[in-house]
Amino acid sequence: MKKWYEEQSVDNDIVISSRIRLARNIKGFYFQERMNRESAIQLVNKVTGLTKDLELKENQKFYECSVNKLRDIDKASMVEYHIISPLLAEKEVETGLIVSQDESISVMVNEEDHLRIQAVASGMNMEKAFLDADRIDDFFSEKLGYVFNERYGYLTSCPTNVGTGLRASYMVFLPALNISGKIDKLAEEIGRYGAQIRGIYGEGTKGLGHIFQISNKTTLGRSEKEIIDNLEKIVDQAVLQERKRREFLLNMNGDEIEDKVYRSYGVLKYAKSINTIDALMMLSQLKLGMDEDLIKLKEPINIHKLMMEITPANLQKSLGKSIGRGERDRYRAEYINKKLPQL
């Protein structure tokens, strides 16, 4: 089965993915701040015990596990593939996960809230992400029952999530805006309309490889549709600005950009050692070159997928063992050498 990030869709030269995340808490359990270990274990067992029922409802395969019992490398790998959040990977209390076979749906248990339901779709397709998350949400609501207040909506550990409990986000590739130093200005502009720009793995992370997340800031006082429609308009404008900036840069410095694209390809194809940051930056330059028809390869390649595959944990998982940084950099170079098609 294809993973969500292996699918091609409209505008995915800029919009890599659309994601919906729902924060929910279950009746009969203290919120995370007051939950003891026994209750945490009970909650994980109660939620993951519904996996088979969920499979029957969704007519697809789901897997479940206790995240805190996994190896650090496995948890890091799932963060790098955006299956779980960095917070869930770091928690030492009992935590659980249910994930679909195509990795587009994941249910995190005992993260900041009892449940974090996440649905991801390739490209600019927030409608699909929302419909998927909404179905999963209805399933767990019926089976478990949520903490809900008629005045305030869904109650959550963090006040900013109270209301719909919905966080919608687009993962976007903004090389031209970032190279031009326009990201801070964009962040200021969209902030006035209730959205924010975060790093590649969410709050407190950096925009590696020119990849960022644009998401709504507030959930209280607006319906799900209002939040999603507002964010879509904001991202439409960000896409427009990125396209205009690309056109400007190519008109002004086309030869220089083309040279950087080919230099990046040469390093990626023939380097003997390369670290994560350099590899992601050069892959992003290659992606820009491919998107703008500055460079042509003999065979198609999914650059975003390759970006995730060469991150530290995923690289070691593909090798089947843990290795040090120096050896990892050499293996990363070899891995990219083999994956990149010829010109």
Side-chain angles (χ1 to χ4, degrees):
M1 176 178 286
K2 273 189 175 183
K3 308 298 185 187
W4 68 263
Y5 46 80
E6 295 173 326
E7 298 175 358
Q8 295 296 312
S9 55
V10 178
D11 282 333
N12 71 352
D13 59 323
I14 296 177
V15 182
I16 295 171
S17 66
S18 307
R19 186 193 71 161
I20 291 289
R21 187 223 65 198
L22 301 173
R24 300 289 188 257
N25 287 286
I26 297 167
K27 292 179 180 178
F29 290 87
Y30 283 122
F31 278 22
Q32 288 296 311
E33 292 79 3
R34 296 185 61 189
M35 182 178 282
N36 58 32
R37 184 174 181 273
E38 183 180 343
S39 294
I41 293 172
Q42 183 183 353
L43 180 59
V44 169
N45 290 338
K46 189 169 187 175
V47 175
T48 56
L50 295 170
T51 304
K52 292 298 181 184
D53 290 341
L54 182 61
E55 286 183 336
L56 291 172
K57 182 180 183 298
E58 289 291 302
N59 195 29
Q60 67 167 310
K61 180 67 178 174
F62 281 83
Y63 303 95
E64 53 91 5
C65 66
S66 293
V67 177
N68 58 296
K69 295 177 182 176
L70 298 177
R71 298 178 302 167
D72 287 344
I73 193 171
D74 292 321
K75 290 186 281 188
S77 172
M78 287 194 287
V79 170
E80 291 170 356
Y81 272 120
H82 305 282
I83 296 170
I84 65 173
S85 66
L87 177 60
L88 191 75
E90 292 166 3
K91 294 194 76 170
E92 295 181 0
V93 299
E94 191 78 11
T95 50
L97 173 70
I98 300 174
V99 61
S100 63
Q101 190 173 7
D102 65 357
E103 298 175 8
S104 66
I105 297 171
S106 57
V107 181
M108 293 172 272
V109 190
N110 283 339
E111 199 231 33
E112 186 175 67
D113 293 283
H114 294 157
L115 296 184
R116 286 291 175 94
I117 298 168
Q118 174 179 282
V120 187
S122 178
M124 198 157 184
N125 196 353
M126 193 63 78
E127 182 180 2
K128 180 182 185 306
F130 178 73
L131 289 174
D132 288 346
D134 194 45
R135 284 198 322 275
I136 304 301
D137 185 41
D138 287 345
F139 170 82
F140 283 107
S141 177
E142 181 184 336
K143 296 288 185 179
L144 302 172
Y146 293 147
V147 180
F148 184 85
N149 181 277
E150 290 297 331
R151 180 178 180 183
Y152 296 109
Y154 294 103
L155 302 183
T156 57
S157 293
C158 181
T160 58
N161 290 321
V162 169
T164 61
L166 181 148
R167 184 78 63 188
S169 65
Y170 289 95
M171 187 179 295
V172 290
F173 178 58
L174 304 174
L177 290 172
N178 201 28
I179 290 167
S180 304
K182 303 289 186 181
I183 291 295
D184 288 344
K185 186 173 184 297
L186 177 65
E188 183 181 335
E189 287 178 2
I190 70 173
R192 293 197 291 267
Y193 297 95
Q196 59 191 342
I197 294 183
R198 294 177 170 182
I200 188 170
Y201 297 115
E203 188 173 4
T205 63
K206 297 180 180 179
L208 300 174
H210 303 308
I211 296 175
F212 301 87
Q213 290 186 35
I214 300 179
S215 64
N216 63 298
K217 283 198 293 190
T218 57
T219 67
L220 185 62
R222 286 185 171 185
S223 69
E224 288 92 343
K225 187 177 187 307
E226 287 173 331
I227 291 170
I228 291 170
D229 287 349
N230 180 63
L231 187 64
E232 185 173 352
K233 290 175 185 176
I234 290 168
V235 172
D236 279 340
Q237 287 302 309
V239 169
L240 182 62
Q241 288 188 37
E242 171 66 19
R243 293 205 189 284
K244 286 182 176 179
R245 182 52 54 173
R246 287 188 189 189
E247 184 179 357
F248 175 79
L249 289 177
L250 288 170
N251 287 336
M252 296 297 294
N253 304 298
D255 290 343
E256 181 182 340
I257 292 172
E258 186 176 19
D259 182 64
K260 285 183 178 180
V261 169
Y262 275 87
R263 284 174 183 268
S264 293
Y265 174 84
V267 172
L268 291 167
K269 186 64 179 173
Y270 300 107
K272 296 300 180 184
S273 177
I274 189 167
N275 63 41
T276 307
I277 302 298
D278 289 345
L280 290 175
M281 185 54 66
M282 290 181 188
L283 283 169
S284 73
Q285 289 174 345
L286 179 58
K287 175 172 166 54
L288 175 62
M290 292 169 63
D291 291 342
E292 299 302 318
D293 291 326
L294 299 177
I295 189 170
K296 293 187 183 295
L297 306 183
K298 284 187 175 180
E299 300 170 15
I301 182 170
N302 186 324
I303 295 295
H304 179 238
K305 180 184 176 186
L306 184 56
M307 282 179 163
M308 292 191 289
E309 289 172 344
I310 57 91
T311 48
N314 287 330
L315 197 71
Q316 292 174 91
K317 283 203 71 176
S318 71
L319 189 60
K321 63 179 180 179
S322 296
I323 53 178
R325 180 176 296 177
E327 189 178 353
R328 198 160 62 229
D329 290 349
R330 289 189 292 275
Y331 179 62
R332 179 179 295 107
E334 180 185 343
Y335 189 89
I336 296 172
N337 297 166
K338 289 179 180 178
K339 286 282 185 177
L340 273 187
Q342 295 290 335
L343 291 172

